[in-house]
Every structure is written in C-alpha cells, then in structure tokens.
Amino acid sequence: MKVAIIGQGYVGLTISAFASEFFDVTGFDSNQKIVDQLNSGVSHIEGVESSTIKKLLKKGSYRATSKGSEIRECEIVVIAVPTPLTSVRKPDLSYIESACKTIGKNISNPALVINESTSFPGTLRNFIKPTIEKYSSESIAHLYAISPERVDPGRSDFNQKNTPRLYAGLTPEASEETRNFYSKFCDELVEVSSPEVAEAAKLFENTFRQVNIALVNEFAQIAHSLGIGVYETLDAANTKPYGFMKFTPSAGVGGHCIPVDPTYLAAVAEEHGAPATFIRRANEVNLEMSKYIVRRVAEDNGGNLQGKSVLVVGVAYKPNVADVRETAAELVIKHLRDEGAVVSWHDDVVGSWKGESSAPLQGADITVVVTKHDSVDEKKILASAPHVFDTTGKVEGAKGL
Ligand SMILES: NC(=O)c1ccc[n+]([C@@H]2O[C@H](COP(=O)([O-])OP(=O)(O)OC[C@H]3O[C@@H](n4cnc5c(N)ncnc54)[C@H](O)[C@@H]3O)[C@@H](O)[C@H]2O)c1
C-alpha cells in the first residue's frame, strides 16, 4: 500500500519511520532542505536515527519529496503539519490548509486521509474535508479520519508502538481502514465515537498538563514566601497513593504543544460561549514565571543585575532535545537583559539559536539553569559562577525555586 505523510517533522518523520516497515511511504515536505537531507540519509529529529532512514531508503520503502505529483497514487495520506498560533494567539490552520491543497490537487484516487495534527474539535469535519474537496476533482470521494499524535520526542519508554492511539473516522468505513493502518505498528488502538471526541481528548490531555504546571509554579512561589522547601513539600504530598499527581516547578512551559494546544481549546470554547478562564489564567501564570525567576535572581544578588554577566544554561524547551520552540529560556533571557544583565547561554545540544552560539560553561557572575540536559555536568554548572540559580531542581547545591 502506498502511504503519503505530509510534513516530515517530529510527528511526520517518526510515523514515517514506523510505517515504512510495512508500507511504501512517501514523506512529503514543503521544505526542500529537509527533503534533500532525508534523501541523503540524515535525520533531523531526535528519536529517529539517521541509520534508520538510511536502511529504509536502501530497502526502497521510504523516500522524501517536495513534489505533489509524487504522492498522486497514494491510498493513505497522513497530515502531520504545524498548528501554531497566529500573532494574536488564535489557531493558525494555514499549514493544514496548504496540506489540504496538496492532497486535493494531487491525489488522483479515493484515499483515506488521516489527520494527526493537533487542532480543535470540528477541524476534520468542517475544515479538512471541505478544503480537500474544494481542490479535488468532483468524482473523488475520500475517507476521512483523525488520530491525534501523542509522541513525546526524546522519550524512550513510550513510542508509536506502545502508546495507545485514539482514532475515529467520519464514517464506519474510515474508522475500519484507520484501524487496519495503525494496527500494523501500534499495539493498542482506542476507537472513540466521533472525530470531535478524539480532537477534544488530545487538547484536554495537554490542557491538563498546562494547568497543573501553572498550579505547581504558583505553589513554588507560595512555598518560597512561606519559607518552605517546594520540592520536599511536593515529595511529601506525593506519598499519597491516590488522588495526587506530582508536577514540578520550572521557568515556564515550552514546546509546540503545552503552551499552544490549550489556547486552541480556549478559542473554540469562547466561540461557543463557554468559559475558558482557567486555561487563560494558567497560560498567564506560566508566562509570568520567567519574570518571577529573574526577580529572585536579582534579590539574591543585591537587588540589581546591571552589568552582571549571566549565563543561562539550557535553552531547549526540555532536556535532551534541540527544540527551542516557545522555550521559557527566551523570556528569561529577555527579562535578564531588561534588567541590564549581560547574558550569554550555554546549550551544546541546541548549538546556535537566534544568531547566537552556545557559550562555554564557565566564567559568569551568575548562572541560571533553565533546562538541564543529561550531558551537562552538574559540577561544571556549580563551578561556572559564584551564584547558581537552578529552576529545574536537578542541580544539588545550587539555589533554586
Ligand atoms: N512534536 C510533538 O511532540 C507533537 C506531539 C503531538 C502532536 N504534535 C502535533 O503534530 C503536528 C506537527 O507537529 P511537529 O512537531 O511534527 O511539527 P514540525 O514543525 O516538527 O514539522 C512539521 C513539518 O511540516 C512541514 N510543513 C509545513 N507546512 C507544510 C505543508 N503545507 N506541506 C508539507 N509540509 C509542510 C515543515 O516543513 C516541517 O518539516 C502539530 O499539530 C503538533 O501540534 C506534535
């Protein structure tokens, strides 16, 4: 069976690697550089090894392309393109729209179209299907389904095989074909009664994380004001064997999912006249955390950061990945600079970012740890400055939340 996967990023390439073991996969991406890199056997995504891509290319079950004509005869098409926010923090479906255009204009036979991109309930039924139909020849009736992606890049215990996968088709036939497709490389498939339930479940999963992260970030501030250790208190609460789930404080939330997906839920809620105040406030608390951290660092250093050299350790949004999308480090650096600090950053996993390069882990007045990759030595962090402030709870001996 011929499968096209639209978007060869974190989600699309990961799924391509699994699906290529069973199907003839064409990875379509609008970025020619990524396509060339993949066709030369180089992966740009953590968790998908270059050796895997090389093996699949050699076997002939995978190739990348930026030409719509090369997905013409595909029988299954998976959409895995970005769903960010616009500049006014509204859902931006422009990438999905462009993927639909590619599908509509090129797929010449009835296919099963599955959306894996995260979006609000109703996206498959009211946006993807009509948009593809707008660009397709009238005689083609595709099947449509949703299966929201749950991959967590950099994680080794859960992957495409052992993470249960939600799915729902717009018709029973679409549901059945979707099940047949994923059951080749996924152990547990969970069918829900409508695409809207699957779409909402994905948004709620990430909203659950967002509000709990905000809650623990607020609690970290309360604990500090009371002179209580936040980590000890969280560990104490975590001894309760039921009804509690431990989240840890941080400089904020980063990545393409947790800071973004809840806003998709809030936007659709507000459109329907339902309140989303809790989601909005959680977002604010998480964004304000960077300011709180800079205030704490300033307080610990005589109340003034003017002219101090500050080294931010870790600018990726989470440990052991090079992804800097929506990283909390960006706001921490901005607020430090607003206070007059001379800021550089150290992150050899990211390497270069915003026209700057990773600085050596040494010689600062103050070090602020935002993300701690496993490869970064704790002793070196402690030796990098006379004052080290750790927002991760991983650097023993440093000051912190
Ligand atoms: N990364 C994750 O951990 C994760 C987890 C679950 C869900 N998701 C969701 O999956 C979707 C994809 O996320 P991602 O992290 O893989 O994004 P990504 O930015 O890593 O990759 C997207 C790829 O799509 C390509 N692209 C953009 N527009 C295109 C188009 N019109 N046609 C073809 N290619 C196009 C880009 O060049 C890029 O390579 C988003 O909706 C995201 O919220 C991501």
Side-chain angles (χ1 to χ4, degrees), residues 6-13 28-31 34 44-45 79-84 94-100 102 116-119 148-153 202 206 256-257 260-261 317 323 325:
I6 314 291
Q8 292 293 283
Y10 280 91
V11 167
L13 190 62
F28 177 88
D29 202 289
S30 50
N31 184 330
I34 289 178
H44 60 299
I45 297 297
I79 302 173
V81 295
T83 45
S94 60
Y95 297 90
I96 291 203
E97 184 174 9
S98 146
C100 290
T102 302
E116 286 208 18
S117 302
T118 307
S119 186
E149 182 52 61
R150 290 168 152 172
V151 67
D152 185 7
K202 170 71 195 179
N206 282 349
H256 30 74
C257 294
V260 174
D261 299 354
Y317 86 88
D323 195 343
R325 285 179 286 182

Side-chain angles (χ1 to χ4, degrees), residues 86-304:
T86 63
S87 55
V88 290
R89 294 192 70 78
K90 294 266 181 230
D92 176 1
L93 297 191
S94 60
Y95 297 90
I96 291 203
E97 184 174 9
S98 146
C100 290
K101 195 169 170 183
T102 302
I103 295 167
K105 286 194 156 177
N106 291 288
I107 301 286
S108 59
N109 45 279
L112 168 66
V113 177
I114 306 170
N115 180 36
E116 286 208 18
S117 302
T118 307
S119 186
F120 50 81
T123 302
L124 182 74
R125 196 185 299 274
N126 304 325
F127 188 80
I128 292 179
K129 182 173 182 278
T131 309
I132 292 177
E133 285 172 350
K134 188 169 100 186
Y135 292 105
S136 305
S137 130
E138 271 174 27
S139 57
I140 300 177
H142 297 305
L143 296 176
Y144 292 91
I146 172 89
S147 184
E149 182 52 61
R150 290 168 152 172
V151 67
D152 185 7
R155 188 168 193 133
S156 53
D157 50 350
F158 284 101
N159 57 30
Q160 292 288 340
K161 188 163 160 50
N162 63 358
T163 306
R165 182 173 272 282
L166 298 179
Y167 73 99
L170 276 182
T171 59
E173 193 187 354
S175 296
E176 194 187 330
E177 289 202 10
T178 302
R179 184 174 193 93
N180 292 342
F181 172 60
Y182 287 110
S183 60
K184 288 276 191 297
F185 54 92
C186 179
D187 294 341
E188 193 181 337
L189 289 153
V190 183
E191 184 175 357
V192 292
S193 64
S194 71
E196 287 74 16
V197 170
E199 289 165 325
K202 170 71 195 179
L203 291 185
F204 189 68
E205 286 163 22
N206 282 349
T207 304
F208 172 84
R209 285 185 59 74
Q210 179 223 29
V211 296
N212 278 287
I213 291 167
L215 180 64
V216 80
N217 278 338
E218 189 166 86
F219 181 65
Q221 299 174 50
I222 296 170
H224 178 70
S225 70
L226 296 174
I228 296 168
V230 64
Y231 297 106
E232 189 188 352
T233 312
L234 292 172
D235 285 342
N238 202 31
T239 58
K240 185 177 178 183
Y242 53 89
F244 182 79
M245 186 179 281
K246 186 177 156 189
F247 284 77
T248 47
S250 57
V253 283
H256 30 74
C257 294
I258 314 286
V260 174
D261 299 354
T263 304
Y264 270 64
L265 188 57
V268 74
E270 284 159 5
E271 237 172 61
H272 286 75
T277 45
F278 205 49
I279 299 173
R280 297 280 185 208
R281 183 62 196 134
N283 192 43
E284 284 165 12
V285 169
N286 287 330
L287 286 172
E288 285 159 7
M289 207 52 198
S290 49
K291 234 180 199 161
Y292 170 75
I293 280 158
V294 172
R295 200 170 68 235
R296 288 274 310 272
V297 172
E299 275 167 18
D300 290 348
N301 287 276
N304 188 353

